[in-house]
Amino acid sequence: MGRRDEHQPIQRTIRFTIGNEEKEGYAEIPVAGRQRMVIEHVSALVQGPSGQKYFASLRTTLQRNETAWHYLVLSQQYAGAGIDVYAASQPIRAYADPDELPIRFSVSRGLDDGGTVSVDATISGYLVDR
């Protein structure tokens, strides 16, 4: 068996909303105390009022001081009935240590901040001992 089979697989799904007149929302995912999470895939579904644009990112921290932002490419999937739906499904290679900052998935919107936006996101990968 390959070395990769020895790793503990992990996936986490988060859900949050961006409220009316709010510009950004986020959810955080903690990493277990003595392990590093290797993130291999991120997906997201963003649904909000028609005509709004969205920006999605994933923040990870490595060895307490190496904070990085990974940006997702959102593509419009549907527009109608006053709702626009955007999705991302993106392979990625990112690392997250358990030190001070949890993994943060955030979505921001442009100048128009009217209405509520719902966000569903999943990150998947595996845990390794540090």
Side-chain angles (χ1 to χ4, degrees):
M1 291 256 156
R3 183 169 184 227
R4 188 174 175 146
D5 294 334
E6 299 170 10
H7 300 313
Q8 178 184 350
I10 186 169
Q11 62 185 19
R12 296 286 186 261
T13 298
I14 53 174
R15 293 176 177 86
F16 60 91
T17 58
I18 304 171
N20 188 39
E21 298 184 11
E22 293 179 348
K23 293 285 187 191
E24 178 184 29
Y26 65 87
E28 295 181 330
I29 301 168
V31 178
R34 295 191 149 210
Q35 296 182 305
R36 170 176 290 155
M37 183 173 184
V38 179
I39 301 167
E40 295 184 303
H41 194 268
V42 179
S43 62
L45 186 69
V46 179
Q47 300 179 70
S50 290
Q52 293 187 8
K53 302 294 184 198
Y54 305 99
F55 177 80
S57 60
L58 181 73
R59 179 195 71 195
T60 61
T61 301
L62 189 63
Q63 299 175 349
R64 291 193 176 152
N65 60 357
E66 298 290 327
T67 299
W69 291 93
H70 312 276
Y71 304 101
L72 287 110
V73 177
L74 292 168
S75 300
Q76 189 170 25
Q77 303 296 308
Y78 172 80
I83 300 290
D84 286 354
V85 177
Y86 289 82
S89 180
Q90 194 165 315
I92 189 172
R93 177 68 61 160
Y95 306 94
D97 283 346
D99 299 320
E100 295 178 17
L101 298 173
I103 297 167
R104 177 181 285 188
F105 185 88
S106 62
V107 173
S108 302
R109 58 178 154 180
L111 298 175
D112 184 357
D113 61 4
T116 300
V117 177
S118 67
V119 178
D120 293 282
T122 299
I123 65 169
S124 60
Y126 56 91
L127 296 172
V128 295
D129 291 331
R130 293 194 321 156

